[in-house]
Amino acid sequence: GKAKPMDMEWAKDGLDGTLYIVQARPETVVSQLRGMMLEQYTLKETAVPIITGHSVGSKIATGNVRIIENAEQLSSFKAGDILVADMTTPDWEPVMKIASAIVTNRGGRTCFSGDTLLLTNEGFLTFEQVEQRGYEDLHVPALNRDTLKIEWKAVQALMKKTATLLEINVSQTGRMKGNTLKVTADHKMLNVRGGALVDTELQEVLTNQDCVLVAQHLPALMTSTDKQKKLAYLLGGIMSDGHIRRTRTHGEVVFIQKPTAVKEQFIAAMNDALHSVYGKVFKTFVKQESQGFIRGQQVIGSANAYRCFSKEIAYELHDETVTITQTLLKGDSELACSFLAGIIDGDGLFHRGRINIYVSKREVLEAIVVACLRLKIVPSITNNRHIHNVQIVEQLDLLNRYTKRVRCHDERVRVGTRFFNAKQLFLQPLNPDINNRSRKNYLIDEKHLRQTVENLTDSVLKARLTNLLDSDLRQLRVQQLAELPEQNVYNITVADHHNYIVFTNRYTPILVNNCHAAIISRELGVPAVVGCENATTTIKNNTSVTVSCAEGDVGKVYAGELAFDIQTTDLSGLK
């Protein structure tokens, strides 16, 4: 029964010539000007705030506090009340629409650049791609704060605005450069303090030289069959050391290998996989010797081409390569091992305790990253122009059970692969070793930490650290590289856990918070103060308060109803 300005996107179908509405949502910029009038809010009184947080919007509101702890309490909410909660969810939006202001314990104005990668049930997507596609039916990995395990959760909202960003670099030692992420400075990171999970602003993380939390595992969604495992190995071998040719009338699957004794097992495994899945074997074609120069030295080599001529198989395998990332996301650890074994046997090598895989195609790189995360491996990735070098130093004994050509084994006995920040775990002095690590901001590896935890007498800290050791988490160092100009930035809301994983440009999975209240309050034009930490215990229920977002980045909540002005400016005369 009233005007509702909408922001609508249209598309014209190229086949039927029809116009379709592809997205519609409340318009929240021009409509807030009330025609050509701009509103500016100013407090007329001074007071000491009872709590502060991040301001969303620039308005001031007064009203009666209604603390909501669960959805069952929403029925008691009245229009004009101040909504105070630990965190809001999309189910609460009918109440948020009638609230005069919103205050939450958790959350912040968290945003990332449009080219930042998310891992979804449809594979890797940037925020910009999610905006274009829409977030319907998308799920992303999120951390259960109680179990510290990764679970798949639905995306429920998407926010876009403009803001300045920081470019940060993530690495284990702090010396490797080029592994970057672009994020707002006031983003609240998932963090660890005294072994417990906390939310800390990125700027504070950088100032304290803290580490960020990294996800190291993706849960399986199904159990794989023997045939699927054979297919995964076959795909790995083809995607690393072969190719698929398709025409309208013909199809060919081929891989190239030198028929040496060390490679015979790989060739036999590829034949076995093809026969198990499709009932065919590769035909051998001896290629002529080729020669060339590498670093000024003449080299002469020969190799065989192993070909399967079948249009049906070529088209089916090609389709499998397109969806391999989604297949790995669903499959169990054995499927991931089989795929990685095919990749490693096809074009990998083992040297000095690490597997090196050289990859040029992004879709192959993304599949390798997903397969690694299925096995609790966080690979290190470097770039040389368009070639990615994927280095794996974990779970080598496990992978060795599946590889045929490349023999690998765990060698990192003295130096671990999974680390945590000692000073973030131990807030009080413990023993000379831990005290030294904390003072110098050193990391502690998983094996050493488990030995330390066994001897702890503090039962609370022991339980926290045991939970952390059994979790899907580890830590890496983070440093600021640059401040970036204002640009479009994005955030999503994720069901239940209110966090998700973003990936650096080299595919390191960083755990980050989201804030549903910040997203929705901005769309509704309702002032919100988020990330207050203890609003639900500091603010008293059924009392009058003033919520002010008109005093800069810091949002403030005052006791009582303070007087304020609303100044309107006519913009119609501006050119």
Side-chain angles (χ1 to χ4, degrees), residues 413-434:
V413 178
R414 296 183 60 188
V415 181
T417 59
R418 182 190 182 200
F419 292 90
F420 297 93
N421 187 313
K423 75 180 176 94
Q424 291 179 251
L425 303 185
F426 301 96
L427 303 182
Q428 303 297 329
L430 183 66
N431 59 50
D433 177 60
I434 295 298

Side-chain angles (χ1 to χ4, degrees), residues 201-500:
E201 275 194 19
L202 173 61
Q203 197 63 65
E204 184 180 344
V205 172
L206 294 169
T207 300
N208 294 339
Q209 295 185 319
D210 285 349
C211 291
V212 292
L213 279 179
V214 175
Q216 66 168 19
H217 181 238
L218 295 173
L221 298 176
M222 68 179 191
T223 301
S224 303
T225 65
D226 288 338
K227 185 175 180 179
Q228 289 170 326
K229 296 167 195 171
K230 295 280 189 180
L231 177 60
Y233 185 90
L234 178 64
L235 287 170
I238 295 299
M239 293 174 73
S240 62
D241 194 50
H243 53 272
I244 301 170
R245 293 196 182 101
R246 296 169 301 140
T247 67
R248 185 177 60 82
T249 56
H250 295 85
E252 177 189 358
V253 181
V254 61
F255 71 99
I256 310 295
Q257 280 289 318
K258 192 172 183 178
T260 59
V262 72
K263 296 183 178 182
E264 284 180 356
Q265 282 188 299
F266 170 57
I267 297 167
M270 290 290 284
N271 261 322
D272 175 60
L274 184 67
H275 186 266
S276 297
V277 179
Y278 295 109
K280 286 182 172 288
V281 294
F282 289 98
K283 293 182 178 180
T284 304
F285 292 81
V286 180
K287 301 184 72 175
Q288 292 183 345
E289 281 191 352
S290 60
Q291 57 182 326
F293 290 87
I294 298 179
R295 297 186 181 92
Q297 300 294 319
Q298 186 178 24
V299 292
I300 301 173
S302 63
N304 290 347
Y306 298 89
R307 292 187 166 96
C308 171
F309 298 98
S310 169
K311 177 184 175 182
E312 180 182 3
I313 294 176
Y315 272 81
E316 282 191 22
L317 275 178
H318 174 266
D319 291 344
E320 293 287 352
T321 64
V322 172
T323 59
I324 184 61
T325 298
Q326 292 95 308
T327 301
L328 290 165
L329 287 172
K330 298 175 185 176
D332 56 21
S333 59
E334 287 195 72
L335 187 80
C337 285
S338 298
F339 174 76
L340 282 178
I343 288 281
I344 295 165
D345 282 341
D347 201 28
L349 60 92
F350 176 73
H351 181 62
R352 292 185 177 179
R354 70 183 61 217
I355 291 172
N356 290 275
I357 309 168
Y358 296 94
V359 185
S360 59
K361 295 181 179 179
R362 180 165 294 275
E363 58 270 24
V364 179
L365 174 65
E366 292 179 348
I368 292 172
V369 169
V370 169
C372 285
L373 290 176
R374 291 288 300 101
L375 303 174
K376 295 187 177 181
I377 298 170
V378 180
S380 175
I381 302 173
T382 57
N383 298 81
N384 184 2
R385 289 176 289 186
H386 67 285
I387 301 296
H388 306 278
N389 178 15
V390 182
Q391 301 171 50
I392 299 175
V393 297
E394 304 174 80
Q395 304 281 28
L396 301 186
D397 287 344
L398 172 63
L399 291 173
N400 192 59
R401 299 179 204 164
Y402 293 82
T403 54
K404 307 301 180 184
R405 178 182 69 85
V406 177
R407 311 321 301 172
C408 53
H409 55 90
D410 292 316
E411 292 183 356
R412 297 171 73 87
V413 178
R414 296 183 60 188
V415 181
T417 59
R418 182 190 182 200
F419 292 90
F420 297 93
N421 187 313
K423 75 180 176 94
Q424 291 179 251
L425 303 185
F426 301 96
L427 303 182
Q428 303 297 329
L430 183 66
N431 59 50
D433 177 60
I434 295 298
N435 299 345
N436 182 57
R437 289 174 184 271
S438 298
R439 185 176 64 256
K440 295 183 177 180
N441 199 23
Y442 286 169
L443 304 184
I444 181 170
D445 69 272
E446 178 182 8
K447 181 180 178 181
H448 192 168
L449 181 56
R450 287 191 184 276
Q451 294 170 348
T452 303
V453 170
E454 287 177 3
N455 299 319
L456 285 177
T457 57
D458 184 335
S459 59
V460 174
L461 181 59
K462 187 171 186 175
R464 286 178 177 177
L465 295 182
T466 300
N467 195 28
L468 190 62
L469 282 165
D470 295 338
S471 73
D472 291 337
L473 303 173
R474 63 177 64 182
Q475 288 184 286
L476 291 176
R477 298 186 185 278
V478 59
Q479 300 151 320
Q480 179 178 332
L481 295 180
E483 293 185 13
L484 304 177
E486 188 171 279
Q487 56 190 276
N488 286 334
V489 294
Y490 298 81
N491 189 13
I492 56 174
T493 293
V494 178
D496 301 328
H497 301 334
H498 303 292
N499 62 71
Y500 55 98

